[in-house]
Amino acid sequence: MARLSIALLGPLRLQLDGRPITGFESDKVRALFAYLVLESDHPTLRQSLASLLWPERPERLARHDLSQALYNLRSTLDDQDRAPPFIIATRQTVQFN
């Protein structure tokens, strides 16, 4: 089982099995990750995440941006084939596992 180490105070720092994790494409992806970690006790609606992170964008575009951010997050965490995954995403919700 993979060991993910997370430091949220100060700049976001992650290590996966002792190796630093980098490669987040934007501050929004880092903010998404931090939010999901802090709210990991329950799933969050995608619509809520899109509105929170992209309030100035029309809903359709904000949801697209959220999908792109989730793709970058899962790729950076090498989460696509991990069992169990760190990110649990359904069509309606997203949750940090």
Side-chain angles (χ1 to χ4, degrees), residues 13-80:
R13 291 182 316 275
L14 301 173
Q15 288 188 345
L16 182 58
D17 295 330
R19 292 176 291 116
I21 300 282
T22 59
F24 293 107
E25 68 183 19
S26 69
D27 288 337
K28 298 268 182 155
V29 177
R30 284 184 281 280
L32 172 62
F33 179 73
Y35 183 89
L36 292 173
V37 167
L38 292 172
E39 297 293 327
S40 64
D41 59 330
H42 62 277
T44 303
L45 291 172
R46 283 179 179 251
Q47 180 178 351
S48 297
L49 290 169
S51 296
L52 176 69
L53 293 168
W54 294 276
E56 73 287 353
R57 306 269 284 163
E59 181 181 349
R60 182 179 64 79
L61 296 176
R63 288 181 63 105
H64 173 75
D65 292 344
L66 175 62
S67 292
Q68 293 297 108
L70 283 168
Y71 176 80
N72 176 247
L73 177 58
R74 294 192 75 195
S75 295
T76 302
L77 294 174
D78 194 26
D79 202 35
Q80 295 86 347

